[in-house]
Amino acid sequence: MRADQILHPTEAGLYCPPGDFHIDPIRPVPRALITHGHGDHARAGHGAVMATRQTLEIMAIRYGADFTETRQVAEGPIRVGDTTVSFHPAGHILGSAQIAVQPDKGPKIVVSGDYCRRPNLVCAPYEPVPCDIFVTEATFGLPVFRHPDPLQEMARLRASMAEFPERQHLIGAYALGKAQRVISLARQAGIDGPIAIHGALQRLCDYHVEQGIDLGELIPATAADVPAQLVIAPPSAFASAWVQRFRDPVIGFASGWMQVRARARQRGVELPLVISDHVDWPQVTQTIRELAPSEVWITHGNEDGLMRWCQLHQIAARPLRLVGYEDEPE
Amino acid sequence: MKAFANLLERLAFTAARNAKLRILRHYLEQTPDPDRGFALAALTGDLKLRAVTPKLLRGLMAERVDEQLFALSYDFVGDLAETIALIWDGDQDDDVPLRDAVALLSDTGRAGLPAAISAMLDRLGPSERLAFLKLATGNMRVGLSARMARMALAEMGDPQVKDLEEIWHGLTPPYQPLFDWIAGGARPEHAAKAPFRPVMLSTPVDLDQLRALDPADHVAEWKWDGIRVQAVNDDGVRRLYSRTGEDISGSFPDVIEALNFDGAVDGELLVRRGANVAPFGDLQKRLGRKVVGKAMLESHPAGLRVYDLMIWQGRDLRDMPHQDRRAILQQADFGSDRIDVSPLLDFATWDDLAALRADPPSIVIEGVMIKRRDSAYVGGRPRGPWFKWKRDPMVIDAVMLYAQRGHGKRSGFYSDFTFGLWDGDVLVPVGKAYFGFTDEELRELDRVVRNNTTERFGPVRSVAPKLVLEVAFEGLNASARHKSGVAMRFPRISRIRWDKPAPEADRLETLKAMIP
Ligand SMILES: [Zn+2]
Ligand SMILES: [Zn+2]
């Protein structure tokens, strides 16, 4: 069977005819395999969902227990139609996985979803999965994206907190994954005091703690007076009146995009922190070299840059131009 | 270089002035000489280095990166130096002293420059590469004036801003004698002729406060709406300074040429055509130009109206009472028809002066100055000897159209407002205001914005045109750069007109009729 008969883009997302399932579909389908819990990959309303236990639990927290009719925890190789699928850690957020699809006849395809190769204490590390066709994101698919060591960024946060001890530091971070990663990094960097979190982060932080991830002392940032110098909130909170309880805060934002000054300025932040859950340019190109697949498919992001790199290195590549996936979703 | 790169990055993203000052002060306190002096000069634009062209940089990249990948990256990043700093593939991360980078950029010959830059970039990490490239292209853009630099220095030791202003123009990077002085050493001697001397400033006053004073102890003169300057001719060296000590000689060669005297005088810079003083907008056309064309010199001739003498024919007059300085001023020969003396006003009571203020003989007068006859000339803003009694501001009723979120103490509040006036049946934006209201009013305005938002663009919201704001401003120029055709000076919100329906707000033609 040809590769594009095993997996191809449709309006609902990537579809696998021999297994009769979609991967990360953007609209309701009878059977969905889901890489991770971010809103643009994991949506409610499918007939059946297969994902890691943690992704299923995160979806239940975000959408309610009835987010799908039936669910199945992905563990070990599983037969789906005329294929065998397996889930492997992607190093992106808690529960995130790559999905390997092995048809009974034809090439093995690995859909990596969003992935990251930098050490991250809030999730299992990325695991290289040998394959014939590697499906990759290209969120940061330009050679300007070389994300620094996140602990170096934390040192900048600490320096600012020391330079402005009377000002609270409000750091914007997406609610699932990034927020917990920033808190975990802050702990690694030696920020020991209580960290305040916006109400929208509470349940997801609680869940991380239940899963054995140490986030230290967290207090709610809901009272009129928040007794913590470091406060973490989702980006949407910064446009709301919630911010007004802080007098003269330093506003920061944790994202891989903060590496580009124009992007940081657009956000109006005073302290841009370059912290990403996605592969940067050296990581994505190294991964492709390491896996040496016969073909690379690029789902979304800056695919032109990665396409050009593949061309220069004589690696067969094609863009899938999937729509509906955001750069770094909330 | 690491500390310098960090400084540039922090300053670039910090909006509040006090926060900028603190960041700069910490850097200056923690950085050794001569690096801190070079950094200071780089920030204030006083570091003269070899200018590296974009062409040279592009040439370097062409050897290292695929052209198409570079083009895609540059397109995304939008800034050449930043693109190169990010894309440069080096894994060293040396902390090269800033002085080495400065030496490279001042001493390297043209032929050796590309290789030297390339070798330097190889040694640096990404933030330092960006700092180095900004230094090389002479494009810092961190919003730091020489005045702010002096304010940060003033916080480091005993010398105050006015003391620093006085010696500033005799100094050259890396300012070792300056830092020694701040650390408690000797005051640097004037190295240069025609130094700037701290200007004496006034405090605002109103009629009620004046009634407590004896008019007989005071003189009064017009407050002209130009630019307060200090003009110096010291043994043939001629300089024109703004009141904060910026050297603006380059923009006013006609005035420099007219300084045919020996001394340092305090006055108002004005554009004058014969006996007529032109509005501030005409003067503004002359400001900030590095080169002034012949046509501009003819159509917008500048001149000086003298208020006071500081140094005259070798004598320092500053400790004398004002009336004695004034007597010398009235006898003085300035040797040019571009220079004249600001006349004193004839008044016996404060009510006389109020009547004069209410009906000035020129539209380019923004009020009256009141000075004690016995006042010495003291740099800075001493309370008491000199007052300014400005004319009442102009006001207009405008409609709030857009609002932008503030920074720092105003984080989370919509505090920067764009307002408009009626032109036919559409509202045309005419200006922006972000002060004039109380904290309580800010909260109310924020509520109005949130409850009447029609569209959002990042930190900006467009607001249903309902609320009328009374906007006060100090002056008005015709302006081709503004869509409305007018530019207001110092607009601020003087009152929120909760009572006034938007259709009754003022019309654009009403504002235009106020242009002098
Ligand atoms: Zn994701
Ligand atoms: Zn994604």
Side-chain angles (χ1 to χ4, degrees), chain B residues 456-505:
Chain B
R456 300 172 187 217
F457 333 83
V460 178
R461 293 186 183 207
S462 102
V463 184
K466 286 183 185 165
L467 185 64
V468 177
L469 303 169
E470 182 189 276
V471 178
F473 51 100
E474 292 303 317
L476 202 61
N477 309 325
S479 165
R481 274 180 301 143
H482 293 75
K483 195 175 145 200
S484 60
V486 287
M488 293 171 160
R489 287 168 60 201
F490 306 122
R492 67 248 180 209
I493 293 170
S494 50
R495 209 145 54 105
I496 306 173
R497 295 295 307 264
W498 302 108
D499 55 310
K500 194 163 194 170
E504 289 174 27

Coordinates of all heavy atoms in Angstrom, one line a residue, chain B residues 456-505:
Chain B
R456 N -11.1 44.5 19.0 CA -9.8 44.5 19.7 C -8.7 44.2 18.7 O -8.8 43.4 17.8 CB -9.8 43.3 20.7 CG -10.8 43.3 21.7 CD -10.8 42.0 22.5 NE -11.9 42.0 23.4 CZ -11.9 41.5 24.6 NH1 -10.7 40.9 25.0 NH2 -12.9 41.5 25.4
F457 N -7.6 44.9 18.9 CA -6.3 44.7 18.1 C -5.2 44.6 19.1 O -4.7 45.7 19.5 CB -6.0 45.7 17.1 CG -7.2 46.5 16.5 CD1 -7.7 47.6 17.3 CD2 -7.8 46.1 15.3 CE1 -8.8 48.3 16.8 CE2 -8.9 46.8 14.9 CZ -9.4 47.9 15.6
G458 N -4.8 43.5 19.5 CA -3.7 43.4 20.6 C -4.1 44.2 21.8 O -5.2 44.0 22.3
P459 N -3.2 45.1 22.2 CA -3.5 45.8 23.4 C -4.4 47.0 23.2 O -4.7 47.7 24.1 CB -2.1 46.3 23.9 CG -1.3 46.3 22.6 CD -1.9 45.3 21.7
V460 N -5.0 47.2 22.0 CA -5.8 48.3 21.7 C -7.3 47.9 21.5 O -7.5 46.8 21.0 CB -5.3 49.0 20.4 CG1 -6.2 50.2 20.0 CG2 -3.9 49.5 20.5
R461 N -8.2 48.7 22.0 CA -9.6 48.4 21.8 C -10.2 49.6 21.1 O -9.9 50.7 21.4 CB -10.3 48.2 23.1 CG -9.9 46.9 23.8 CD -10.8 46.7 25.0 NE -10.4 45.5 25.8 CZ -11.2 44.8 26.5 NH1 -12.5 45.1 26.6 NH2 -10.8 43.8 27.2
S462 N -11.1 49.3 20.2 CA -11.9 50.4 19.6 C -13.2 50.5 20.4 O -13.7 49.4 20.8 CB -12.0 50.2 18.1 OG -13.3 49.8 17.8
V463 N -13.6 51.7 20.7 CA -14.7 51.9 21.7 C -15.8 52.6 21.0 O -15.6 53.4 20.1 CB -14.1 52.9 22.8 CG1 -15.2 53.0 23.9 CG2 -12.9 52.3 23.4
A464 N -17.0 52.1 21.3 CA -18.2 52.8 20.7 C -18.1 54.3 21.0 O -17.9 54.7 22.2 CB -19.5 52.2 21.3
P465 N -18.3 55.2 20.0 CA -18.1 56.6 20.3 C -19.3 57.2 21.1 O -20.2 57.7 20.5 CB -18.1 57.2 18.8 CG -18.8 56.2 18.0 CD -18.7 54.8 18.7
K466 N -19.1 57.1 22.4 CA -20.2 57.6 23.3 C -19.7 58.7 24.2 O -20.4 59.6 24.5 CB -20.7 56.5 24.1 CG -21.6 55.5 23.3 CD -22.1 54.5 24.3 CE -22.9 53.4 23.5 NZ -23.1 52.2 24.4
L467 N -18.4 58.5 24.7 CA -18.0 59.3 25.8 C -17.3 60.6 25.3 O -16.3 60.5 24.5 CB -17.1 58.5 26.8 CG -16.6 59.3 28.0 CD1 -17.8 59.6 28.9 CD2 -15.6 58.5 28.8
V468 N -17.7 61.8 25.9 CA -17.0 63.0 25.5 C -16.0 63.4 26.5 O -16.2 63.3 27.7 CB -18.1 64.1 25.4 CG1 -17.4 65.5 25.0 CG2 -19.1 63.8 24.3
L469 N -14.8 63.7 26.0 CA -13.7 64.1 26.9 C -13.3 65.5 26.6 O -13.2 65.9 25.5 CB -12.4 63.2 26.6 CG -12.6 61.7 26.8 CD1 -11.4 61.0 26.2 CD2 -12.9 61.3 28.2
E470 N -13.2 66.4 27.7 CA -12.7 67.7 27.4 C -11.2 67.6 27.4 O -10.6 67.2 28.4 CB -13.2 68.6 28.6 CG -12.7 70.1 28.4 CD -13.0 70.9 29.6 OE1 -14.1 71.4 29.7 OE2 -12.1 71.1 30.4
V471 N -10.6 68.0 26.3 CA -9.2 67.8 26.2 C -8.5 69.2 26.2 O -9.0 70.1 25.5 CB -8.8 67.2 24.8 CG1 -7.3 67.1 24.7 CG2 -9.4 65.8 24.8
A472 N -7.6 69.4 27.1 CA -6.9 70.7 27.2 C -5.5 70.5 26.5 O -4.9 69.5 26.5 CB -6.7 71.1 28.6
F473 N -5.0 71.6 25.8 CA -3.7 71.5 25.2 C -3.1 72.9 25.1 O -3.8 73.9 25.3 CB -3.9 70.9 23.8 CG -4.9 71.5 22.9 CD1 -4.6 72.5 21.9 CD2 -6.3 71.2 23.1 CE1 -5.5 73.1 21.1 CE2 -7.2 71.9 22.3 CZ -6.9 72.8 21.3
E474 N -1.8 72.9 24.9 CA -1.0 74.1 25.0 C -0.8 74.8 23.7 O -0.5 76.0 23.7 CB 0.4 73.8 25.6 CG 0.3 73.3 27.0 CD -0.3 74.4 28.0 OE1 -0.1 75.6 27.8 OE2 -1.1 73.9 28.8
G475 N -1.0 74.1 22.6 CA -0.8 74.8 21.3 C -1.2 73.9 20.2 O -1.6 72.7 20.5
L476 N -1.2 74.4 19.0 CA -1.7 73.6 17.9 C -0.9 74.0 16.7 O -0.6 75.1 16.4 CB -3.1 74.1 17.7 CG -4.1 73.3 17.0 CD1 -4.3 71.9 17.7 CD2 -5.5 74.0 16.9
N477 N -0.5 72.9 15.9 CA 0.2 73.2 14.7 C -0.5 72.6 13.5 O -1.1 71.5 13.7 CB 1.6 72.6 14.6 CG 2.4 72.9 15.9 OD1 2.3 74.0 16.4 ND2 3.2 71.9 16.3
A478 N -0.4 73.2 12.3 CA -0.9 72.4 11.2 C 0.1 71.3 10.9 O 1.3 71.5 11.1 CB -0.9 73.4 10.0
S479 N -0.3 70.2 10.5 CA 0.6 69.0 10.3 C 0.2 68.2 9.2 O -1.0 67.7 9.1 CB 0.6 68.2 11.6 OG 1.2 66.9 11.3
A480 N 1.1 68.0 8.2 CA 0.7 67.1 7.1 C 0.8 65.7 7.5 O 0.3 64.8 6.8 CB 1.7 67.4 5.9
R481 N 1.6 65.4 8.6 CA 1.7 64.0 9.0 C 0.5 63.4 9.6 O 0.4 62.2 9.8 CB 3.0 63.8 9.9 CG 4.3 63.7 9.1 CD 5.4 63.5 10.0 NE 5.5 64.7 10.9 CZ 5.9 64.7 12.2 NH1 6.1 63.5 12.8 NH2 6.0 65.8 12.9
H482 N -0.3 64.2 10.2 CA -1.6 63.7 10.8 C -2.7 63.8 9.8 O -2.9 64.7 9.1 CB -1.9 64.6 12.0 CG -0.8 64.4 13.1 ND1 0.4 65.0 13.1 CD2 -0.9 63.8 14.3 CE1 1.1 64.7 14.2 NE2 0.3 63.9 14.9
K483 N -3.5 62.7 9.9 CA -4.6 62.6 9.0 C -5.6 63.8 9.2 O -6.2 64.2 8.2 CB -5.3 61.3 9.4 CG -6.3 60.8 8.3 CD -6.9 59.4 8.7 CE -8.3 59.2 8.3 NZ -9.0 58.2 9.0
S484 N -5.7 64.2 10.4 CA -6.7 65.3 10.7 C -6.1 66.6 10.2 O -6.9 67.6 10.1 CB -6.9 65.4 12.2 OG -5.7 65.7 12.8
G485 N -4.8 66.7 9.9 CA -4.2 68.0 9.5 C -3.8 68.9 10.6 O -3.3 70.0 10.4
V486 N -3.9 68.4 11.8 CA -3.5 69.3 13.0 C -2.8 68.4 14.0 O -3.0 67.2 14.1 CB -4.7 69.9 13.7 CG1 -5.3 71.1 12.9 CG2 -5.8 68.9 14.1
A487 N -1.9 69.0 14.7 CA -1.1 68.3 15.8 C -1.3 69.2 17.1 O -1.0 70.3 17.1 CB 0.3 68.1 15.4
M488 N -1.7 68.5 18.2 CA -1.9 69.3 19.4 C -0.6 69.1 20.3 O 0.1 68.1 20.2 CB -3.0 68.7 20.2 CG -4.4 68.8 19.6 SD -5.5 67.8 20.6 CE -7.0 68.6 20.1
R489 N -0.3 70.1 21.1 CA 0.8 70.0 22.0 C 0.3 69.8 23.4 O -0.6 70.5 23.9 CB 1.7 71.3 21.9 CG 2.4 71.4 20.6 CD 3.0 72.8 20.4 NE 3.9 73.1 21.5 CZ 4.2 74.4 21.7 NH1 3.7 75.4 21.1 NH2 5.1 74.6 22.7
F490 N 0.9 68.8 24.1 CA 0.6 68.5 25.4 C -0.9 68.3 25.7 O -1.4 68.8 26.6 CB 1.1 69.5 26.4 CG 2.6 69.8 26.3 CD1 3.0 71.1 26.1 CD2 3.5 68.8 26.4 CE1 4.4 71.3 25.9 CE2 4.9 69.0 26.3 CZ 5.3 70.3 26.0
P491 N -1.6 67.5 24.9 CA -3.0 67.3 25.1 C -3.2 66.4 26.4 O -2.4 65.5 26.7 CB -3.5 66.5 23.9 CG -2.3 65.8 23.4 CD -1.1 66.7 23.7
R492 N -4.1 66.8 27.2 CA -4.5 66.0 28.4 C -5.9 66.1 28.6 O -6.6 67.0 28.2 CB -3.7 66.4 29.6 CG -4.0 67.8 30.1 CD -2.9 68.7 29.9 NE -3.2 70.1 30.5 CZ -2.7 71.2 30.0 NH1 -1.9 71.2 29.0 NH2 -3.0 72.4 30.5
I493 N -6.5 65.1 29.4 CA -7.9 65.1 29.6 C -8.2 66.0 30.8 O -7.7 65.7 31.9 CB -8.4 63.7 29.8 CG1 -8.2 62.9 28.5 CG2 -9.8 63.6 30.3 CD1 -8.4 61.5 28.6
S494 N -8.9 67.1 30.6 CA -9.1 68.0 31.7 C -10.4 67.8 32.4 O -10.6 68.1 33.6 CB -9.0 69.5 31.2 OG -9.9 69.7 30.1
R495 N -11.3 67.1 31.7 CA -12.6 66.8 32.4 C -13.3 65.7 31.6 O -13.1 65.6 30.4 CB -13.5 68.0 32.3 CG -14.5 68.2 33.4 CD -14.7 69.6 33.9 NE -15.1 70.5 32.8 CZ -16.3 71.0 32.5 NH1 -17.3 70.6 33.3 NH2 -16.6 71.8 31.6
I496 N -14.0 64.8 32.3 CA -14.8 63.8 31.6 C -16.2 64.4 31.5 O -16.8 64.7 32.5 CB -14.8 62.5 32.3 CG1 -13.3 62.0 32.6 CG2 -15.5 61.4 31.6 CD1 -13.2 60.8 33.5
R497 N -16.7 64.5 30.3 CA -18.0 65.1 30.1 C -19.1 64.1 30.1 O -19.7 63.8 29.1 CB -18.0 66.0 28.8 CG -17.1 67.2 28.9 CD -17.5 68.2 29.9 NE -18.9 68.6 29.8 CZ -19.3 69.7 29.1 NH1 -18.4 70.5 28.5 NH2 -20.5 70.0 29.1
W498 N -19.3 63.5 31.3 CA -20.4 62.4 31.4 C -21.7 63.0 30.9 O -22.6 62.2 30.4 CB -20.5 62.0 32.8 CG -19.3 61.4 33.5 CD1 -18.5 62.0 34.4 CD2 -18.6 60.2 33.2 NE1 -17.4 61.2 34.7 CE2 -17.5 60.1 34.0 CE3 -18.9 59.1 32.3 CZ2 -16.6 59.0 34.0 CZ3 -18.1 58.0 32.3 CH2 -17.0 58.0 33.1
D499 N -21.9 64.3 31.0 CA -23.2 64.9 30.8 C -23.4 65.2 29.3 O -24.5 65.4 28.9 CB -23.2 66.3 31.5 CG -22.0 67.2 31.1 OD1 -20.9 66.7 31.1 OD2 -22.2 68.3 30.7
K500 N -22.4 65.1 28.5 CA -22.5 65.6 27.1 C -22.7 64.5 26.1 O -21.8 63.6 26.1 CB -21.3 66.5 26.7 CG -21.4 67.3 25.5 CD -20.4 68.4 25.4 CE -20.7 69.4 24.4 NZ -19.8 70.6 24.4
P501 N -23.7 64.5 25.3 CA -23.9 63.5 24.3 C -22.8 63.6 23.2 O -22.5 64.8 22.8 CB -25.3 63.7 23.7 CG -25.9 64.8 24.5 CD -24.8 65.5 25.3
A502 N -22.4 62.5 22.7 CA -21.3 62.5 21.6 C -21.7 63.4 20.4 O -20.8 64.1 19.9 CB -21.0 61.1 21.2
P503 N -22.9 63.4 19.9 CA -23.2 64.3 18.8 C -22.9 65.8 19.0 O -22.7 66.5 18.1 CB -24.7 64.0 18.5 CG -25.0 62.7 19.1 CD -24.1 62.6 20.3
E504 N -22.9 66.1 20.3 CA -22.6 67.6 20.6 C -21.1 67.9 20.8 O -20.8 69.0 21.2 CB -23.4 68.0 21.8 CG -24.9 68.0 21.6 CD -25.7 68.3 22.8 OE1 -25.2 68.9 23.8 OE2 -26.9 67.8 22.8
A505 N -20.3 66.9 20.6 CA -18.8 67.2 20.7 C -18.4 68.2 19.6 O -19.2 68.4 18.7 CB -18.1 65.9 20.6

